[in-house]
């Protein structure tokens, strides 16, 4: 019998604007590549620090620093992701980030994370993100794929249209309720 869910840690869910902001990934392998790719998709400026950097990571538009991690690598960063296979280095990165009040994610080690990363699918301005609170990335990925398969071209086009309408709506409809109702009606007209 499955036990009732009792949250160990509830997370505040938010979408971060990392466009042009400096982010650090420590680790230049397969996991580092995945994390760097996600940051680049958001327009972040990414620095990768690792003694060994894969060709796939080196081919990305990032700043490469081929050496061991140093605490000073955190200076001026918005957030940091540790993607190494060395538990001691990962713990040091997390502790250094905590000392500087920086958000830090240590790949696959939820207890060393001040933020966790959901499974993400992007289609134009629409982002489908699923998190299991760190319990199971595999389940999050399966659910993401299931939900993402329901987001089609018509949803993407509508999202673009609604984004373009926002300035007009804000200028011409006075209250939050009027603006909300306008957008709901337009979504219903298009999607049924």
């Amino acid at each position: 019998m499955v036990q009732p869910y009792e949250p160990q840690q509830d997370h505040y869910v938010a979408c971060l604007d990392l466009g042009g902001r400096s982010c650090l990934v420590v680790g230049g392998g397969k996991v580092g590549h995945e994390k760097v790719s996600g940051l680049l998709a958001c327009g972040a400026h990414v620095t990768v620090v690792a003694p060994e950097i894969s060709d796939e990571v080196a081919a990305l538009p990032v700043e490469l620093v081929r050496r061991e991690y140093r605490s000073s690598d955190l200076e001026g960063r918005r957030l940091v992701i540790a993607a190494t296979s060395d538990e001691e280095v990962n713990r040091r990165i997390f502790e250094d980030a905590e000392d500087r009040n920086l958000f830090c994610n240590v790949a696959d080690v939820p207890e060393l994370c001040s933020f966790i990363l959901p499974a993400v699918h992007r289609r134009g301005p629409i982002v489908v993100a699923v998190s299991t609170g760190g319990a199971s990335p595999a389940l999050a990925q399966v659910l993401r794929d299931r939900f993402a398969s329901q987001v089609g071209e018509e949803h993407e086009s509508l999202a673009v249209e609604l984004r373009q309408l926002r300035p007009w709506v804000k200028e011409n409809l006075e209250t939050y309720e009027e603006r909300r109702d306008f957008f709901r009606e337009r979504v219903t007209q298009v999607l049924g």
Side-chain angles (χ1 to χ4, degrees):
M1 182 169 127
V2 175
Q3 297 296 317
Y5 172 70
E6 293 184 30
Q8 295 177 354
Q9 174 69 43
D10 285 329
H11 293 89
Y12 185 77
V13 179
C15 295
L16 302 178
D17 177 4
L18 296 177
R21 290 178 169 84
S22 180
C23 298
L24 176 69
V25 175
V26 182
K30 184 177 179 182
V31 175
H33 181 267
E34 177 187 322
K35 304 308 180 187
V36 168
S37 297
L39 290 168
L40 290 174
C42 302
H45 173 78
V46 181
T47 300
V48 176
V49 173
E52 295 179 27
I53 297 174
S54 72
D55 292 341
E56 291 80 15
V57 172
L60 296 172
V62 298
E63 180 182 342
L64 301 175
V65 180
R66 295 178 192 267
R67 63 163 166 71
E68 298 289 333
Y69 163 79
R70 298 177 189 157
S71 298
S72 61
D73 293 327
L74 297 178
E75 297 305 319
R77 309 296 179 187
R78 183 62 59 124
L79 61 79
V80 60
I81 297 176
T84 81
S85 57
D86 186 321
E87 291 179 27
E88 186 177 314
V89 171
N90 288 341
R91 182 169 296 284
R92 195 168 114 231
I93 294 166
F94 175 74
E95 290 170 356
D96 289 347
E98 284 289 294
D99 289 344
R100 289 165 175 79
N101 288 318
L102 281 174
F103 284 109
C104 179
N105 175 276
V106 177
D108 207 29
V109 188
E111 62 272 13
L112 292 183
C113 294
S114 54
F115 74 97
I116 58 173
L117 297 167
V120 174
H121 171 80
R122 295 176 188 281
R123 181 171 185 129
I126 299 174
V127 178
V128 175
V130 178
S131 174
T132 59
S136 174
L139 176 59
Q141 291 165 1
V142 167
L143 291 172
R144 173 211 50 211
D145 293 345
R146 194 171 290 174
F147 299 144
S149 70
Q150 298 177 37
V151 179
E153 186 178 322
E154 69 277 16
H155 302 101
E156 180 180 357
S157 297
L158 180 58
V160 169
E161 174 192 328
L162 296 175
R163 176 185 281 166
Q164 293 169 346
L165 283 171
R166 287 184 72 82
W168 180 89
V169 169
K170 191 167 187 172
E171 187 176 311
N172 292 284
L173 302 178
E174 290 185 24
T175 68
Y176 165 79
E177 291 78 12
E178 288 175 314
R179 294 187 295 270
R180 178 198 63 208
D181 293 345
F182 173 86
F183 283 118
R184 282 185 181 168
E185 184 177 323
R186 182 66 186 133
V187 169
T188 302
Q189 286 173 347
V190 175
L191 299 179

